[in-house]
């Protein structure tokens, strides 16, 4: 019948039970083959004999050859209850299929499955009955069953066996168009994309069905025959493969971002096979801190590994084998380093065959991950390529593994993990993992030697090995593999990006941001771009979900050949591929970059992954000649890559607006004291200070980094001018940025190590009458706020936003910096001598300072930013995932 009007009468189905399978046969320019396809349909057998309950619809897609119409009509007349003929204006293969699909769905409401059969292909008589039986015994999520690729014409046979993988299906199409499809797939609104007239429309259909939650299932020994000729639509499509793939993949948006791929990888192709000492099972997993995708006993796990060696395209086993005992992993998890160690080891296995990880006590309670000389004998944690175990298993010499270990370090890499003491495990050295590796290698050796030398399948393989599933990230998402972290799908993972994390105000601010977010149900993660070591804050493990370092030694470093308004930009991309760095962060929901130069160059790529990007700015630095420069100036070149900007003062907000940053992107979050004091300690300190004799020496404290920013030459000169019985000095801090303590040794005052906990800081502030900060530049110093809380008199230079937290002469004192270096020192000395003689003034200023800072609260100050973070993600404009079919004209 002609369907130009877009409607047709429903055929009358007189057979008991109605039609089970509707077959759609598009016909265009292949009239000589159509009869073969229809005969293949008519020859289909039902289980146990008899005629199956099926019908075919021939859709003549405006074929110019009269033979197509004649053949279709002839079969329809001879088999009026099984063959139906429709003719439509030419619209392409997808349009013809959609026309037939709509006909079947309307004509036979009881039809359970549809089968698209190209007019030049053939079917074995039992194909459809076997396919329907497999489809109906499968879970509802199985939307189609697909055959192997058996060609005639050019006689070739290719395997599609193995468990279906939605992840690998996005890399290559291993589902033939001639697959039996559950009716529910089409009732979900899916149709073939009629704009795709150059090929790959069936691959696109499968992927969109997969995005709707449907999955395929392989039908062994199917009996589908594909006619292969030198020239065909498929041959033409392959010549345009790159362009077709780019167009097709550009439609899927979030479905091909790293986080979506990560969940598929975890379920279908996990990275790690974890062997734990004392356990009789092997865990196949992606996230070492989450439940594994599978847990198999040793014999079955090693049988899976052996089978994956033999049939890598059909059977997945993790590409990395891990050997350890539970206590070792617990130590790493407690420090927040478990996932980053697994990630770095996996990347190292690109070049090495074996990665050793040692655990050592880190001085000063630090946390570190550093390259180290590999040593397998004592290492408590080992990572090995799974294929390497196969090499050892196939080695004809029984000592193949031992000889390979003796050849180290040629094929090895090593990491040293620095952990604070005490750590889980009672401080005892964790047991070595090498016995586990030897046992696994021995078990695999027995399995491999017993297996048949015959190939697993007589069909050829064309697919990539399943262990190469990680290739999905660069091919589809344009990044490296993400951190092996399976987050809840609530959009509440936030990463803080810093160049270093040590004794400094910026780090303390970030820590307090993270602590508030943690209390609000977020999961903060810490990423360090310029170092492999941090000095954790007290409570670090309770605040940060993970601690991560970037591949290589650093991603910092500027491109000094390209200056934006005089400031260098990130040079990371000049010397290194940035995809691994992007991948490391791509699993996050929000990334906050605070002063990480290398991070700027990653932000636009992260936005493409659906990550919200925020910039954290704290101060305008000064160069060696006093010129304004630094992080805010650099950030101006990258402002368009950020969704928002967090600043800590009115001064910095005004500066950003003055530099043409959109005011609507800027959120002000004022600082507060960085820690909670021991309850009652500030009041006790103020009472004790008031009770001291008026003639007691004035206690002067410098607390902070020993870096050039802090005006250490000024501090030295002020100390030298105030030596004597009227003054008592204490200095506490350390150099962080590579600067020295200059000439503070001339003062004769030993520098105390920085206090890291509440009790230590309380003791310093309680001791002091005056806290001095002669800085050259500042943001909003936390030391000022903390000292004010204890009633200390703060004397600070009038730099940065310090005037926003000190009202000169009322709750502190400001030293003018516009009259030169000598004047700063002179004014400071004069002021200190005045304060030494005026205990009542000190008391009044201290009480005003305490009153000023009493209302400071991180959560209250963060309220506006928290509200913005809670807003739904605004996705970038993209094509709709579902492309409706055009009208059946």
């Amino acid at each position: 019948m002609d369907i130009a009007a877009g409607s047709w009468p429903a055929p009358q189905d007189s057979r008991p039970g109605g039609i089970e399978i509707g077959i759609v046969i598009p016909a265009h320019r292949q009239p000589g083959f159509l009869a073969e396809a229809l005969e293949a349909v008519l020859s289909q057998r039902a289980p146990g004999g008899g005629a199956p309950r099926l019908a075919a619809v021939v859709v003549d897609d405006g074929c110019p050859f009269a033979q197509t119409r004649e053949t279709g009509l002839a079969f329809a007349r001879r088999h009026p209850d099984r063959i139906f003929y429709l003719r439509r204006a030419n619209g392409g293969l997808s349009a013809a299929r959609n026309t037939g699909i709509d006909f079947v769905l309307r004509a036979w409401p009881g039809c359970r499955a549809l089968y698209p059969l190209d007019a030049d292909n053939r079917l074995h008589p039992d194909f459809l009955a076997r396919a329907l039986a497999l489809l109906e015994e499968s879970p509802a999520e199985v939307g189609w069953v697909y055959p192997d690729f058996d060609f005639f014409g050019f006689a070739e046979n290719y395997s599609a066996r193995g468990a279906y993988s939605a992840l690998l299906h996005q890399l290559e199409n291993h589902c033939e168009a001639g697959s039996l499809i559950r009716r529910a797939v089409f009732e979900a609104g899916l149709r073939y994309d009629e704009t795709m007239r150059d090929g790959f429309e069936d691959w696109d259909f499968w992927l969109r069905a997969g995005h709707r939650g449907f999955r395929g299932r392989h039908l062994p020994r199917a009996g589908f025959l594909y006619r292969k000729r030198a020239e065909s639509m498929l041959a033409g499509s392959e010549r345009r493969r790159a362009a077709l793939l780019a167009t097709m993949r550009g439609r899927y948006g979030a479905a091909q971002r790293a986080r979506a791929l990560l969940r598929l990888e975890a379920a279908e192709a996990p990275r790690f096979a974890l062997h734990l000492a004392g356990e009789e099972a092997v865990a196949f997993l992606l996230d070492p801190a989450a439940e594994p995708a599978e847990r198999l006993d040793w014999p079955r796990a090693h049988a899976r590994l052996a089978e994956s060696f033999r049939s890598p395209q059909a059977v997945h086993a993790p590409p990395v084998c891990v050997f350890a005992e539970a206590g070792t992993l617990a130590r790493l998890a407690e420090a927040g380093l478990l996932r980053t160690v697994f990630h770095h080891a996996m990347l190292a296995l690109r070049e090495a065959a074996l990665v050793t990880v040692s655990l050592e006590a880190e001085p000063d309670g630090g946390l570190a991950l550093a390259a180290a000389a590999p040593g397998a004998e004592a290492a408590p944690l080992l990572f090995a390529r799974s294929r390497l175990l196969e090499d050892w298993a196939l080695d004809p010499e029984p000592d193949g593994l031992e000889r390979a270990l003796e050849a180290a370090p040629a094929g090895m890499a090593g990491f040293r993990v620095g952990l604070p003491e005490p750590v889980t495990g009672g401080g005892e050295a964790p047991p070595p993992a090498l016995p586990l590796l030897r046992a696994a290698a021995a078990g695999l050796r027995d399995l491999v030697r017993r297996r048949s030398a015959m190939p697993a399948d007589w069909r050829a393989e064309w697919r990539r090995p399943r262990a190469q599933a990680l290739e999905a990230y660069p091919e589809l998402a344009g990044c490296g593999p993400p951190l092996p972290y399976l987050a809840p799908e609530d959009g509440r993972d936030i990463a803080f990006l810093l160049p270093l994390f040590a004794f400094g105000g910026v780090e303390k601010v970030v820590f307090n941001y993270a602590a508030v977010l943690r209390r609000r149900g977020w999961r903060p993660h810490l990423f360090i771009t310029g170092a492999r070591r941090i000095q954790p804050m007290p409570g670090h493990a309770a605040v940060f979900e993970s601690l991560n370092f970037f591949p290589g030694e650093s991603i910092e470093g500027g491109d000094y050949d390209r200056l934006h308004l005089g400031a260098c930009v990130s040079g990371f991309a000049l010397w290194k591929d940035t995809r691994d760095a992007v991948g490391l962060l791509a699993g996050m929901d929000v990334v906050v970059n605070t002063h990480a130069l290398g991070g700027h160059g990653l932000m636009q790529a992260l936005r493409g992954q659906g990550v919200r990007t925020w910039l954290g700015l704290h101060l305008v630095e000064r160069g060696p000649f006093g010129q304004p420069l630094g992080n805010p100036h650099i950030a101006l070149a990258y402002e368009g890559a950020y969704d928002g900007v967090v600043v800590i003062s009115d001064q910095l907000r005004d500066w950003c607006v003055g530099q043409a940053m959109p005011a609507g992107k800027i959120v002000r979050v004022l600082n507060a004291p960085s820690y909670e004091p021991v309850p009652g300690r500030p009041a006790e300190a103020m009472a004790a200070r008031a009770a001291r004799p008026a003639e007691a020496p004035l206690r002067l404290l410098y607390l902070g980094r020993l870096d050039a920013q802090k005006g250490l030459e000024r501090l030295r000169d002020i100390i030298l001018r105030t030596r004597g019985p009227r003054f008592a000095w204490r200095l506490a801090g350390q150099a962080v940025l590579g600067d020295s303590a200059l000439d503070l040794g001339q003062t004769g005052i030993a520098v105390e190590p920085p206090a890291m906990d509440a009790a230590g800081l309380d003791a310093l502030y309680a001791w002091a009458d005056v806290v001095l900060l002669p800085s050259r530049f500042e943001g909003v110093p936390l030391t000022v706020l903390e000292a004010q809380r204890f009633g200390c008199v703060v004397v600070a230079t009038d730099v940065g936003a310090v005037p926003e937290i000190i009202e000169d002469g009322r709750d502190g004192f400001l030293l003018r910096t516009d009259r030169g270096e000598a004047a700063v020192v002179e004014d400071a000395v004069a002021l200190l001598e005045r304060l030494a003689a005026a205990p009542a003034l000190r008391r009044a200023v201290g009480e005003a300072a305490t009153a000023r800072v009493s209302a400071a609260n991180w959560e209250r100050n963060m309220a506006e930013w928290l509200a913005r973070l809670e807003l739904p993600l605004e996705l970038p404009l993209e094509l709709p995932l579902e492309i409706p079919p055009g009208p059946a004209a």
Side-chain angles (χ1 to χ4, degrees):
M1 66 183 69
D2 193 318
I3 60 166
S7 62
W8 49 81
Q12 298 299 312
D13 181 14
S14 59
R15 281 166 293 173
I19 295 298
E20 293 181 313
I21 301 175
I23 302 164
V24 177
I25 307 177
H28 186 73
R29 291 186 176 274
Q30 294 178 329
F33 299 139
L34 178 58
E36 292 183 27
L38 289 169
E39 289 292 353
V41 169
L42 294 171
S43 67
Q44 291 298 296
R45 297 191 290 246
R53 290 153 48 194
L54 55 81
V57 181
V58 177
V59 182
D60 183 339
D61 188 33
C63 180
F65 300 123
Q67 184 182 353
T68 296
R69 182 182 184 94
E70 293 165 359
T71 301
L73 286 172
F75 272 85
R77 292 187 185 109
R78 288 200 299 272
H79 307 279
D81 60 343
R82 300 188 68 185
I83 306 294
F84 299 84
Y85 173 82
L86 307 177
R87 181 174 172 82
R88 56 158 292 148
N90 179 255
L93 177 59
S94 292
R97 283 179 179 162
N98 289 339
T99 297
I101 290 164
D102 291 338
F103 179 89
V104 170
L105 295 178
R106 290 182 57 186
W108 300 297
C111 174
R112 303 201 295 273
L114 288 80
Y115 184 78
L117 174 64
D118 289 348
D120 57 343
N121 294 336
R122 300 174 181 173
L123 301 175
H124 186 276
D126 296 319
F127 173 80
L128 288 176
R130 294 181 60 251
L132 183 62
L134 182 63
L135 185 63
E136 295 203 321
E137 75 176 31
S138 301
E141 70 169 15
V142 174
W144 68 97
V145 295
Y146 55 93
D148 294 305
F149 292 80
D150 292 321
F151 301 145
F152 66 100
F154 285 108
E156 298 170 354
N157 304 90
Y158 297 99
S159 176
R161 74 187 184 93
Y164 175 79
S165 169
L167 177 63
L168 292 170
H169 200 176
Q170 297 187 67
L171 297 176
E172 52 201 11
N173 186 20
H174 52 260
C175 290
E176 226 302 311
S179 301
L180 186 65
I181 308 169
R182 199 185 295 274
R183 182 188 184 104
V185 174
F186 298 108
E187 289 184 334
L190 287 158
R191 297 293 187 274
Y192 292 91
D193 179 6
E194 297 184 14
T195 68
M196 298 184 70
R197 300 191 64 166
D198 294 324
F200 290 5
E201 72 293 323
D202 53 324
W203 190 1
D204 171 76
F205 177 83
W206 302 132
L207 294 186
R208 287 187 291 118
H211 300 331
R212 290 290 191 91
F214 292 105
R215 296 291 182 262
R217 185 175 180 183
H218 177 240
L219 175 65
R221 303 176 300 280
F224 169 78
L225 295 175
Y226 184 101
R227 189 184 302 271
K228 186 86 177 280
R229 295 189 287 172
E231 279 300 332
S232 63
M233 183 176 179
L234 178 61
S237 301
E238 287 298 329
R239 287 194 288 268
R240 296 185 292 274
R241 183 180 183 85
L244 290 175
L245 274 181
T247 299
M248 183 179 77
R249 289 172 173 171
R251 303 172 183 270
Y252 303 136
Q256 289 192 338
R257 289 175 179 159
R259 274 177 287 174
L261 301 177
L262 190 71
R263 297 206 165 273
L264 290 177
E265 182 197 353
E268 301 174 353
R271 301 178 194 179
F272 306 106
L274 176 60
H275 299 67
L276 284 178
E279 293 195 6
E280 298 180 355
V282 178
F284 288 2
L285 52 81
L286 179 138
D287 185 343
E291 281 300 309
E294 284 188 278
R295 194 185 299 274
L296 304 175
D297 59 40
W298 273 58
R300 288 193 300 150
H302 292 157
R304 176 81 64 81
L305 279 167
E307 185 62 21
S308 74
F309 300 156
R310 187 183 189 197
S311 304
Q313 294 85 358
V315 179
H316 176 78
V320 178
C321 285
V322 188
F323 305 92
E325 55 93 33
T328 297
L329 303 188
R331 291 184 180 197
L332 295 173
E334 180 180 306
L337 286 166
L338 180 62
R339 296 181 178 105
T340 201
V341 167
F342 272 61
H343 187 72
H344 279 264
M346 180 200 68
L347 295 181
L349 287 173
R350 291 172 177 170
E351 304 295 333
L354 185 68
V355 172
T356 68
V357 179
S358 62
L359 275 57
E360 301 175 13
E362 188 71 7
D364 303 323
L367 292 168
L369 176 66
E377 288 293 333
L381 182 57
L382 293 173
F383 295 82
R385 291 184 201 167
S386 297
R387 300 294 304 193
L388 180 64
L389 295 182
E390 181 191 22
D391 294 341
W392 290 332
L394 292 173
D395 194 312
E397 299 298 327
D399 62 346
L401 170 58
E402 303 305 323
R403 285 188 290 103
L405 293 174
E406 290 174 4
M412 291 190 190
F415 291 104
R416 179 189 69 83
V417 178
L419 300 174
E421 292 289 352
V423 293
T424 303
E428 298 178 2
L434 190 56
L436 272 177
L437 187 151
R438 287 191 173 110
L444 281 167
R445 184 179 181 86
D446 291 341
L447 283 171
V448 169
R449 287 183 166 244
R450 291 200 306 266
R451 72 185 181 189
S452 170
M454 295 291 290
D457 193 349
W458 61 271
R459 291 182 174 87
E461 270 293 358
W462 57 278
R463 300 168 292 176
R464 72 185 78 195
R466 292 180 180 241
Q468 294 177 10
L470 290 174
E471 294 174 359
Y473 295 104
E475 288 191 30
L476 302 177
C479 66
L483 185 74
Y485 169 57
L486 278 181
E489 295 185 80
D490 57 4
R492 302 181 74 81
D493 282 279
I494 183 167
F496 288 94
L497 201 63
L498 292 95
L500 52 82
F501 200 86
F503 178 71
V506 171
E507 294 95 306
K508 292 179 179 180
V509 170
V510 166
F511 182 83
N512 280 280
Y513 288 170
V516 170
L517 285 161
R518 189 76 180 199
R519 292 194 295 271
R520 294 285 293 260
W522 288 76
R523 291 174 297 279
H525 302 256
L526 183 59
F527 290 78
I528 305 301
T529 61
R532 288 288 193 89
R533 184 186 189 278
I534 73 162
Q535 187 67 49
M537 304 287 180
H540 165 91
V543 169
F544 289 110
E545 184 78 17
S546 69
L547 165 62
N548 306 280
F549 303 99
F550 281 76
E553 290 304 313
S554 170
I555 69 168
E556 294 295 281
D559 180 357
Y560 290 94
D561 293 327
R562 297 174 64 239
L563 302 181
H564 179 264
L565 302 179
C568 72
V569 294
S570 174
F572 178 38
L574 292 177
W575 67 84
K576 197 167 184 181
D577 189 337
T578 62
R579 287 181 297 180
D580 281 341
V582 173
L584 184 63
L585 289 161
M588 299 291 108
D589 298 295
V590 180
V591 171
V592 184
N593 181 15
T594 302
H595 297 182
L597 175 60
H600 290 307
L602 309 179
M603 293 300 126
Q604 194 59 40
L606 288 172
R607 292 183 78 190
Q609 296 296 324
V611 179
R612 284 178 286 176
T613 57
W614 283 81
L615 173 65
L617 294 177
H618 289 247
L619 74 164
V620 176
E621 294 96 328
R622 295 277 173 174
F625 302 105
Q627 75 277 26
L629 52 70
N631 291 295
H633 297 81
I634 297 168
L636 293 175
Y638 298 94
E639 176 267 320
Y642 289 95
D643 297 306
V645 182
V646 178
V647 298
I648 63 170
S649 66
D650 291 325
Q651 180 211 47
L652 194 50
R653 178 181 59 188
D654 293 344
W655 185 92
C656 290
V657 172
Q659 297 295 329
M661 286 191 186
K665 290 176 67 169
I666 302 171
V667 178
R668 186 190 66 162
V669 178
L670 298 179
N671 283 352
S674 70
Y675 74 99
E676 287 296 322
V678 175
R681 193 73 176 96
E684 292 174 6
M686 294 178 68
R689 193 180 294 126
R692 288 176 55 225
E695 64 275 13
L698 184 69
R699 295 178 177 180
L700 303 170
L701 172 68
Y702 170 80
L703 171 64
R705 288 177 170 174
L706 303 182
D707 298 328
Q709 168 197 349
K710 299 298 183 177
L712 298 183
E713 301 98 326
R714 298 168 175 173
L715 177 63
R716 175 199 60 202
D717 293 344
I718 293 169
I719 294 172
L720 292 174
R721 294 276 301 275
T722 55
R723 287 190 296 189
R726 297 178 61 202
F727 301 96
W729 279 95
R730 289 179 71 179
L731 309 177
Q734 65 183 19
V736 173
L737 300 177
D739 300 330
S740 69
L742 298 174
D743 295 327
L744 290 181
Q746 297 178 15
T747 66
I749 300 171
V751 178
E752 304 171 26
M756 299 300 293
D757 59 11
L761 288 166
D762 283 356
L764 286 171
Y765 291 126
W767 175 87
D769 297 315
V770 175
V771 173
L772 176 67
L773 279 83
S775 306
R776 298 189 178 281
F777 56 89
E778 283 287 0
V780 178
L782 299 176
T783 300
V784 171
L785 301 172
E786 293 163 3
Q788 287 175 328
R789 181 171 57 188
F790 269 77
C792 299
V793 176
V794 178
V795 176
T797 45
D798 61 351
V799 294
V802 173
E804 294 183 26
I805 56 173
I806 294 179
E807 184 179 346
D808 188 32
R810 182 179 182 277
D811 51 28
F813 294 93
L814 296 174
L815 301 172
R816 291 176 57 183
T817 56
D818 59 351
R819 296 189 296 116
E821 290 294 297
V824 172
V825 174
E826 290 291 339
D827 290 350
V829 171
L831 179 59
L832 295 178
E833 289 177 343
R834 175 188 170 196
L835 290 171
L841 174 63
R842 298 199 306 264
R843 187 178 309 113
V845 170
E847 289 172 352
T850 301
R852 177 187 187 113
V853 81
S854 61
N857 177 283
W858 285 104
E859 190 150 358
R860 185 183 304 117
N861 294 354
M862 290 172 64
E864 182 185 353
W865 188 34
L866 290 169
R868 292 212 195 181
L869 289 175
E870 299 286 351
L871 291 175
L873 173 65
E874 293 181 8
L875 293 174
L877 182 64
E878 59 187 13
L879 291 173
L881 189 60
E882 290 305 329
I883 303 172

